[in-house]
Amino acid sequence: AYVIYTSGSTGRPKGVKITHRSLVNYISWAAEQYLGDGASSMALYSSLAFDLTVTSLYAPLVSGGRAIIYEQRGRETAVLRVFEEGRAAVVKLTPSHLRLVAGMDQQRSGIKRLVVGGEALETELARRTWENFGGRVEIVNEYGPTEATVGCMIHRYDAEQDQRVQVPIGRPAANAHIYVVDERGQEVGEGIAGELLVSGEG
């Protein structure tokens, strides 16, 4: 379907080939997760070279919704306009983007869901954002390396339950399997550190 470049954990850029099958699996799942409850529009403001754009463009289109396009104007950060206008029901962004708007009062915003990914989401940032929306926004932490087709796990932030430093990365996406293994590739028990393996359609 496309080749997208990422430096991943190595720091050296490489092209990742995403197949149509993987893309269809992810987009079908993302549309159901993020737009399946009546939310019908997503903000599209980032470069096509960034895989969060895949979600923002295709998920609303396959579900009969709208992608609200925000063009870049000079050195202005387009995500600020997304939050100032509050027209899109769903916004996908990174924690770095979220920090830019963390102090904005969003009590009257039309934004209903924030899908956050690309970096670790600090619980304090999630809590502050949730409070700025008066508790009327759903924050979803989506995790996944580019190689796993945009995202492969999600966790819905819970202001009462999530008390660790970082918001959990959650449970596998549709048709994805996640394993935590030791240096020999054997699964480890709950609470034991290991390496994350991702398999499945993504």
Side-chain angles (χ1 to χ4, degrees):
Y2 61 86
V3 174
I4 193 163
Y5 282 80
T6 180
S7 59
S9 57
T10 66
R12 292 195 347 229
K14 64 178 181 223
V16 175
K17 293 183 275 188
I18 302 298
T19 65
H20 286 87
R21 180 181 182 139
S22 298
L23 180 60
V24 167
N25 183 71
Y26 171 77
I27 291 300
S28 300
W29 170 80
E32 181 183 312
Q33 293 295 315
Y34 306 143
L35 299 165
D37 61 354
S40 62
S41 59
M42 287 188 82
L44 178 62
Y45 64 90
S46 59
S47 164
L48 291 174
F50 192 15
D51 64 1
L52 77 72
T53 302
V54 170
T55 317
S56 303
L57 177 62
Y58 294 115
L61 296 182
V62 302
S63 60
R66 301 183 297 149
I68 301 174
I69 301 171
Y70 289 83
E71 64 181 306
Q72 187 70 35
R73 295 181 186 160
R75 298 178 61 86
E76 171 200 52
T77 305
V79 74
L80 291 175
R81 269 188 296 126
V82 172
F83 279 81
E84 285 165 359
E85 295 178 13
R87 293 187 302 142
V90 182
V91 181
K92 188 167 186 186
L93 69 172
T94 66
S96 293
H97 287 131
L98 204 51
R99 279 186 207 92
L100 291 174
V101 297
M104 294 172 68
D105 180 5
Q106 296 291 322
Q107 302 277 342
R108 295 195 165 107
S109 177
I111 297 171
K112 296 180 177 11
R113 181 170 295 120
L114 300 172
V115 181
V116 186
E119 306 158 16
L121 175 58
E122 296 169 359
T123 302
E124 174 59 25
L125 177 60
R127 184 193 58 76
R128 199 165 67 237
T129 302
W130 185 76
E131 289 174 351
N132 287 344
F133 277 85
R136 290 188 302 277
V137 70
E138 181 182 43
I139 300 173
V140 181
N141 192 23
E142 182 184 281
Y143 168 82
T146 299
E147 294 84 348
T149 312
V150 187
C152 60
M153 298 178 76
I154 61 167
H155 173 80
R156 286 179 161 76
Y157 169 73
D158 185 312
E160 290 183 14
Q161 300 291 324
D162 295 331
Q163 299 299 321
R164 295 182 181 179
V165 174
Q166 295 176 343
V167 176
I169 56 175
R171 302 275 176 209
N175 303 309
H177 306 283
I178 310 294
Y179 307 93
V180 180
V181 300
D182 61 20
E183 62 278 353
R184 295 184 317 269
Q186 301 298 310
E187 285 189 70
V188 300
E190 193 169 325
I192 298 175
E195 189 163 344
L196 196 66
L197 294 185
V198 181
S199 70
E201 291 297 339

